[in-house]
Amino acid sequence: MNGPNDRQDEPQAAAPGSPGMTRRGFIRKSAVAAAGAAAVAAALSPLRNISPDHIPTLEQLLQKHYKEMTPEEMKAVLERISREVEKRYAVRPQVADIKPMTGVEFVYALNISRCIGCRRCVHACVKENNQSRSPEIQYIRVLKMEKGSIDVETSDHHYDPPTVPEHESYYMPVQCHQCANPPCVKVCPVEATWQEPDGITVIDYDWCIGCRYCEAACPYWARRFNFAEPGLTAEELNPNMAYLSNRPRAVGVMEKCTYCLHRTRVGRMPACVEACPTGSRKFGNVLDPKSEIAYILRHKRVFVLKQEVGTLPRFFYYFDERGSRYHEPLDPAVSGGDA
Amino acid sequence: MRRYFTFLWQCLRMSFVGDWRYYAWMSVLTVFALLGLHAWCRQLVGGLATTGMTDQVSWGVYIANFTYLVGLAAAAAMLVIPVYIYRNMHLHDVVIFGELLAVAVIIMCLLFVTVDLGRPDRSLHLIQRFNFPGSMLTWDVIALNGYLLLNLHICGYLIYCAYCERKPSRAFYVPFVFIAIVWAVSIHTVTAFLYVGLGGRPFWNSAIIAPRFLASAFAAGPAFIILTLQIVRRYTSYRVGDEALLTLRRIVQVAALINLFLLGCELFTEFYSDSAHTASSRYLYLGLHGRNALVPWIWTAIAFNTVATLLLVLPSSRGLKVLNVACVLAIVGIWIEKGMGLIVPAFIPTPLGEIVEYVPTINEVLVSLGIWAFGLLLYTVFVRMSVPVLSGELTYRRLYGPSRQDNNRSQAETAA
Amino acid sequence: MAGLLLADPWQEAVPIPPKTDVPVWATDTTPVRHPTLKPETVIAGMTFRCSECHDLFPSPPETDRALTQHRHIVLDHGINARCFNCHNRQDRNAFADDRGDPIPFDQPPVLCAKCHGPVYRDWTHDVHGRTDGYWNDSLGSRRRLKCVECHDPHAPAFQAMRPARGPNTLRMGDQTHHPAGTEKTKNPLLIYRQTPSGRDVTHERPE
């Protein structure tokens, strides 16, 4: 900047009422201004690398909140999303806005006697929900817990033994619990996340401003943020999408488990339930007394994580028999009684 | 009306006029501000992955600085209390600098929040669907913007009246001053409640956070003003009395003592009870499972705060050299304690027990420095503008001759 | 200044971990076993129905001797060590119920229910083991897996399997399990395994 050196020979506090500036003064001032403008332009230069996808179109800027959109507007938005996905991945998706079924409230149960910690649920979820592969986003985190402790601080998330289950451990996968008293919904400043009538807490990805307050508020660390542009290839894309669940997200918005609402709202099981080899995961409509989830809540020793936080999760853990601990040595039966 | 535009224009012109030290200072600040802008543009292109934040530690340096600066803004208006409630006239002439600092700092806070957003292009969504009164962030938006407007009005009105050589009408600013006092306390309380209200983060879910915020803010804010007033005294002709500095010293002294006491309360609560909820405190003060990146920082902050408090209690801090050292120590110590010592440890360990440490990236640091530089630039400009006006050197009459209103008034006076 | 900014000398690459492919078996949802559910066996490449041999050769009353045929079968079924607890002595193409009457070979759950009552009860309600299909039967079909699709009837313990890889998220740092250091364990069950100095000896199992 050639500003500071130039000023020394000029009178201080040039009286503004004095007759116009000298030609030298004018050239000097405009040189300074030009240098300043060049510096500002150079400061803004990284923006030249911005990809056109990142620049919101007028259509996107004017798009309304999910709850305010009319069916025609929603149709236009779904069309736009289909077009964008097709342009990017060369795969024609089916993007729908699937409404919740009436008389349905989804609850999940997980049998920690049977869970062996194989993490197939984690990867099935990733495959189903079009998450970013690099950087990696996984909605489900499997905790290897120490026997004797329910405190998650004693957990290990990065276990990698040759086989599971391991000695003296039990496994607790954690994902979004779709709480009935959700702290994330409470804290969102723009109402980009809310709870639907069937119990699923959803996010409008086109409304979220990315403040990450919900991520700080969740006691189960269930919400994820797109810090970078999601890295997803066409082969990995799941074309069966819904507006509120697994359509590809953009950088800078939150996402999380939605109990695969694009599947469950048409009667199917979430991907994690289908993948579990031991059948530890159970899902269904708790309002139907004949469902397996209602049976579990009636007959099994169910509990929730971090109950003291008052979130009322719709995700129960339970244990029944010795289950996955059969690999551990048993005390041999002691003779006695009638023998 | 024309007067108002000339006022603005003259203020703008004044900000480009000064001696070589002024230019050097402004140039350095401009360089950093441009570096920050450049880094932010890089962040806009690459997403927040250019920062060191992760899903595990999802708030970092930006929110840390935001928290600290909200405190600074609140405390700047605390100069007002001695003058308007306790009628302590030593501070009367320097209140305006506190209010100007509040304006510059609030703008910095808003900038920090903006750079922290993942989708700043969607900021208008805040107006379209506002989750008030449920979300504390909406309370914060109202509080911060309201405070900015309040202070802009008060400062603008007072300085403009001085420019017009008109006695300011009490009705136009005194009620706002009183509102600003209450509002200042509330902006920092609301910011504290942002954190306190989260049951899933036991490190934050404690009633002591809001009082600690206020105590540390009232220590750091006036300390900052003590330093800036000395600069004003040195480089301009504005008269800043020693009594003003000593009154401010008293405020910082009491606030620093309360801050240390509250720190002691927190340390006792966490370490005596030793429940599982104290994992974050353990990470911060002692390290957890071999991870101890923040331990040296927090102990440095505690050392700084303790030394600053001790110095302030000693009568030797009436002397400016010791006072300045104490102020700098307090400012830096409280910055570390509120930023790294409050925001980051709440995320470690995560609610599921994972430990991922946080290190800000160069980009992130540059953006933060850029915003600080921009804020200091604004404050320097404000001071540069207001000192000549308030001391009567720069008035409309001097520059343009008496206005029509002045003539009318003097005619009315002679007629009476 | 402009030149410096344009030149961008402090480019910092974002350390996005490269994508590691997830192996196919990690998302394969087919059941772990594929039993034929037919009373057949393969000897020397030829398939025989059970009755073809067993009608010819009478079996001794008890089987507490080493098997001469079917030696590949490892019997590890807990205290259920008697072949005729399950297999029908008179008709090898079927299983035996409580009274010795035949249970068809393609209905193993009825057999397992003889001893594993509570599990069977859960299984009939789709609570034990996986149920494939729709949660809402009016919208689609369901299929409950049969016992032997997960459990080898002779060694029914569910086989340990290789876990899929763990998380590798952005900037997660070094996540190798850190030793507890000087901290005492928070696990109430393990406190009796700490030495007086506070060292956690949990993982040093005395053998």
Side-chain angles (χ1 to χ4, degrees):
Chain A
M1 297 237 180
N2 40 19
N5 300 322
D6 275 349
R7 284 282 182 190
Q8 271 171 343
D9 47 350
E10 265 203 352
Q12 302 285 47
S18 61
M21 10 183 170
T22 63
R23 201 174 297 139
R24 253 174 90 198
F26 177 75
I27 291 174
R28 196 176 289 145
K29 283 195 179 120
S30 42
V32 168
V40 172
L44 294 169
S45 65
L47 290 176
R48 68 176 187 267
N49 294 329
I50 204 165
S51 82
D53 302 332
H54 284 188
I55 304 172
T57 63
L58 188 64
E59 211 186 332
Q60 280 173 316
L61 281 173
L62 295 175
Q63 185 176 322
K64 296 201 191 118
H65 188 271
Y66 175 84
K67 287 190 187 168
E68 289 168 9
M69 279 201 259
T70 63
E72 295 77 41
E73 283 167 340
M74 174 53 84
K75 199 152 159 292
V77 167
L78 293 176
E79 253 305 304
R80 171 182 68 81
I81 296 173
S82 289
R83 255 183 291 125
E84 284 168 5
V85 171
E86 199 168 3
K87 192 172 89 158
R88 193 157 170 180
Y89 298 102
V91 172
R92 179 88 196 160
Q94 298 112 40
V95 192
D97 174 33
I98 310 171
K99 295 294 182 196
M101 294 169 23
T102 51
V104 167
E105 190 173 335
F106 291 122
V107 171
Y108 212 113
L110 201 141
N111 188 340
I112 52 177
S113 294
R114 307 279 172 203
C115 177
I116 54 172
C118 66
R119 294 198 186 109
R120 283 169 194 232
C121 50
V122 177
H123 295 287
C125 167
V126 170
K127 206 165 129 182
E128 178 69 27
N129 285 297
N130 291 325
Q131 282 133 289
S132 169
R133 303 308 201 260
S134 71
E136 180 187 86
I137 292 184
Q138 292 171 345
Y139 295 158
I140 303 175
R141 187 53 81 93
V142 183
L143 273 59
K144 179 182 115 168
M145 307 287 290
E146 287 178 358
K147 181 173 82 167
S149 167
I150 191 130
D151 184 7
V152 293
E153 210 204 310
T154 58
S155 69
D156 182 6
H157 300 208
H158 301 275
Y159 60 93
D160 190 22
T163 57
V164 282
E166 293 170 273
H167 181 68
E168 299 263 312
S169 319
Y170 65 96
Y171 298 88
M172 246 179 14
V174 181
Q175 65 209 67
C176 174
H177 290 357
Q178 324 291 351
C179 308
N181 182 17
C184 55
V185 169
K186 205 163 45 171
V187 299
C188 177
V190 289
E191 292 178 16
T193 187
W194 68 92
Q195 190 146 86
E196 293 262 290
D198 58 358
I200 303 181
T201 307
V202 294
I203 303 172
D204 183 349
Y205 307 118
D206 291 331
W207 198 257
C208 173
I209 59 173
C211 68
R212 306 188 300 293
Y213 197 11
C214 56
E215 193 168 14
C218 179
Y220 305 104
W221 195 64
R223 298 182 70 112
R224 304 283 183 267
F225 182 70
N226 282 293
F227 285 93
E229 185 67 27
L232 186 64
T233 62
E235 298 84 48
E236 292 157 343
L237 191 78
N238 173 11
N240 172 24
M241 304 173 184
Y243 182 81
L244 288 173
S245 69
N246 69 337
R247 61 177 168 112
R249 278 71 67 188
V251 64
V253 296
M254 301 297 300
E255 55 183 80
K256 68 174 189 65
C257 162
T258 52
Y259 281 178
C260 286
L261 63 80
H262 53 284
R263 292 166 64 120
T264 54
R265 284 183 175 176
V266 294
R268 297 175 65 190
M269 295 281 201
C272 45
V273 173
E274 282 190 358
C276 179
T278 57
S280 313
R281 290 172 166 269
K282 293 295 164 195
F283 177 85
N285 173 17
V286 74
L287 300 177
D288 172 11
K290 294 199 297 297
S291 64
E292 61 255 41
I293 187 70
Y295 177 94
I296 289 170
L297 297 183
R298 271 199 303 272
H299 296 294
K300 300 292 183 185
R301 288 163 281 177
V302 289
F303 64 93
V304 295
L305 269 191
K306 301 203 194 205
Q307 187 186 347
E308 69 277 5
V309 190
T311 50
L312 304 177
R314 287 197 180 86
F315 196 109
F316 292 87
Y317 294 90
Y318 68 99
F319 48 96
D320 42 27
E321 302 165 21
R322 202 165 131 253
S324 64
R325 309 282 291 281
Y326 45 76
H327 286 295
E328 290 169 29
L330 260 186
D331 295 337
V334 184
S335 66
D338 294 327
Chain B
M1 208 52 226
R2 180 174 173 258
R3 265 203 291 196
Y4 194 67
F5 283 120
T6 62
F7 167 62
L8 290 173
W9 170 243
Q10 287 308 318
C11 289
L12 193 62
R13 282 197 63 146
M14 279 311 289
S15 60
F16 282 98
V17 171
D19 67 352
W20 70 269
R21 282 184 292 244
Y22 178 78
Y23 275 116
W25 171 245
M26 297 298 265
S27 302
V28 165
L29 289 180
T30 313
V31 164
F32 273 106
L34 286 176
L35 279 176
L37 180 64
H38 177 86
W40 186 51
C41 290
R42 193 97 62 69
Q43 186 184 292
L44 284 176
V45 173
L48 280 161
T50 52
T51 68
M53 295 189 270
T54 56
D55 276 321
Q56 289 88 348
V57 183
S58 52
W59 275 345
V61 156
Y62 296 152
I63 298 291
N65 277 309
F66 163 77
T67 313
Y68 180 70
L69 289 171
V70 173
L72 219 57
M78 291 320 291
L79 294 189
V80 172
I81 289 186
V83 176
Y84 285 88
I85 298 186
Y86 292 104
R87 309 255 167 227
N88 178 335
M89 286 305 151
H90 295 305
L91 285 176
H92 183 263
D93 294 329
V94 298
V95 162
I96 194 83
F97 295 113
E99 307 257 346
L100 288 171
L101 178 68
V103 172
V105 162
I106 287 282
I107 293 176
M108 279 206 267
C109 291
L110 294 174
L111 284 176
F112 268 118
V113 169
T114 310
V115 300
D116 187 58
L117 287 180
R119 296 299 300 242
D121 55 308
R122 293 184 186 167
S123 308
L124 283 179
H125 287 185
L126 270 170
I127 304 176
Q128 289 166 294
R129 269 191 98 94
F130 201 57
N131 186 9
F132 183 85
S135 165
M136 293 312 295
L137 258 181
T138 55
W139 285 79
D140 219 13
V141 165
I142 295 175
L144 289 177
N145 286 304
Y147 192 64
L148 178 64
L149 290 174
L150 264 176
N151 278 310
L152 271 176
H153 167 76
I154 296 172
C155 301
Y157 182 69
L158 289 174
I159 297 178
Y160 184 57
C161 283
Y163 179 73
C164 299
E165 289 177 299
R166 210 168 42 196
K167 191 164 162 27
S169 146
R170 286 182 72 83
F172 270 135
Y173 75 96
V174 171
F176 294 103
V177 164
F178 279 98
I179 295 175
I181 294 175
V182 175
W183 205 283
V185 171
S186 78
I187 59 167
H188 215 17
T189 313
V190 164
T191 308
F193 283 178
L194 271 183
Y195 310 121
V196 169
L198 302 181
R201 304 261 172 202
F203 185 68
W204 282 340
N205 192 213
S206 150
I208 207 175
I209 303 259
R212 270 205 86 186
F213 267 32
L214 286 167
S216 54
F218 296 158
F224 197 84
I225 296 186
I226 289 176
L227 296 174
T228 45
L229 283 179
Q230 288 178 57
I231 295 176
V232 168
R233 198 191 340 199
R234 177 99 89 93
Y235 294 109
T236 73
S237 55
Y238 198 83
R239 203 193 71 78
V240 173
D242 268 348
E243 311 81 40
L245 293 176
L246 288 176
T247 313
L248 285 171
R249 168 185 169 269
R250 177 70 75 194
I251 297 175
V252 179
Q253 185 189 61
V254 173
L257 278 167
I258 297 178
N259 191 31
L260 267 189
F261 171 70
L262 292 176
L263 169 69
C265 293
E266 221 177 309
L267 285 175
F268 175 80
T269 315
E270 301 285 282
F271 289 105
Y272 186 83
S273 59
D274 201 19
S275 70
H277 289 277
T278 64
S280 292
S281 296
R282 216 164 250 290
Y283 170 74
L284 178 62
Y285 293 103
L286 301 172
L288 193 64
H289 297 311
R291 319 293 193 88
N292 50 13
L294 283 181
V295 174
W297 287 92
I298 192 63
W299 287 107
T300 314
I302 292 179
F304 279 7
N305 282 342
T306 316
V307 170
T309 314
L310 275 173
L311 285 178
L312 285 166
V313 165
L314 295 174
S316 54
S317 59
R318 287 180 200 271
L320 288 178
K321 282 209 178 55
V322 178
L323 182 61
N324 288 342
V325 167
C327 286
V328 169
L329 285 178
I331 291 171
V332 174
I334 290 172
W335 182 81
I336 298 176
E337 182 187 69
K338 243 182 181 158
M340 284 173 247
L342 178 90
I343 305 299
V344 177
F347 293 96
I348 301 169
T350 67
L352 294 184
E354 191 182 9
I355 297 180
V356 170
E357 294 193 289
Y358 166 74
V359 176
T361 57
I362 297 179
N363 217 56
E364 214 174 343
V365 169
L366 281 175
V367 174
S368 309
L369 284 176
I371 296 178
W372 269 95
F374 182 69
L376 288 173
L377 197 80
L378 275 182
Y379 187 53
T380 315
V381 165
F382 289 159
V383 171
R384 184 79 188 86
M385 290 174 357
S386 57
V387 163
V389 174
L390 289 172
S391 59
E393 285 168 15
L394 183 70
T395 65
Y396 183 79
R397 199 151 47 101
R398 264 184 223 261
L399 299 169
Y400 297 101
S403 70
R404 231 177 321 131
Q405 276 154 311
D406 290 335
N407 286 337
N408 290 343
R409 213 185 315 134
S410 54
Q411 272 177 356
E413 276 163 20
T414 48
Chain C
M1 183 73 212
L4 183 68
L5 288 173
L6 279 170
D8 235 359
W10 57 87
Q11 277 281 12
E12 228 184 356
V14 179
I16 296 180
K19 193 177 63 159
T20 41
D21 285 322
V22 176
V24 178
W25 54 261
T27 51
D28 186 12
T29 61
T30 55
V32 292
R33 297 184 78 240
H34 309 276
T36 57
L37 295 176
K38 289 203 210 89
E40 289 166 355
T41 187
V42 177
I43 300 177
M46 296 203 295
T47 313
F48 298 94
R49 264 178 87 80
C50 307
S51 48
E52 287 178 36
C53 294
H54 286 282
D55 285 347
L56 297 175
F57 307 109
S59 330
E62 284 314 320
T63 52
D64 42 2
R65 55 168 175 81
L67 292 174
T68 49
Q69 298 294 333
H70 308 302
R71 276 203 294 242
H72 62 280
I73 292 176
V74 173
L75 187 58
D76 183 18
H77 201 135
I79 58 174
N80 182 16
R82 186 171 167 264
C83 306
F84 294 133
N85 284 336
C86 296
H87 289 282
N88 195 316
R89 207 163 152 236
Q90 276 73 39
D91 172 14
R92 290 310 168 78
N93 287 342
F95 302 117
D97 73 0
D98 302 325
R99 285 192 298 226
D101 295 332
I103 294 174
F105 211 85
D106 57 359
Q107 288 179 28
V110 180
L111 171 64
C112 304
K114 260 168 68 171
C115 297
H116 298 286
V119 171
Y120 178 74
R121 189 168 53 226
D122 283 347
W123 180 83
T124 56
H125 287 95
D126 292 334
V127 170
H128 181 95
R130 194 171 79 206
T131 304
D132 287 341
Y134 284 58
W135 60 265
N136 185 333
D137 346 20
S138 59
L139 290 172
S141 61
R142 301 160 69 94
R143 185 172 92 81
R144 196 185 296 152
L145 297 187
K146 291 196 160 51
C147 317
V148 292
E149 287 183 79
C150 293
H151 300 280
D152 177 351
H154 299 115
F158 194 90
Q159 292 304 305
M161 46 170 81
R162 204 172 130 207
R165 65 168 175 79
N168 187 12
T169 57
L170 188 63
R171 297 183 202 267
M172 75 180 193
D174 177 23
Q175 291 290 341
T176 54
H177 190 66
H178 284 246
T182 52
E183 291 141 11
K184 290 197 187 296
T185 180
K186 291 280 187 189
N187 183 338
L189 188 59
L190 299 182
I191 51 172
Y192 62 86
R193 295 216 188 128
Q194 293 219 316
T195 65
S197 64
R199 202 176 94 242
D200 178 15
V201 294
T202 316
H203 299 288
E204 304 161 26
R205 293 182 62 220
E207 289 297 352

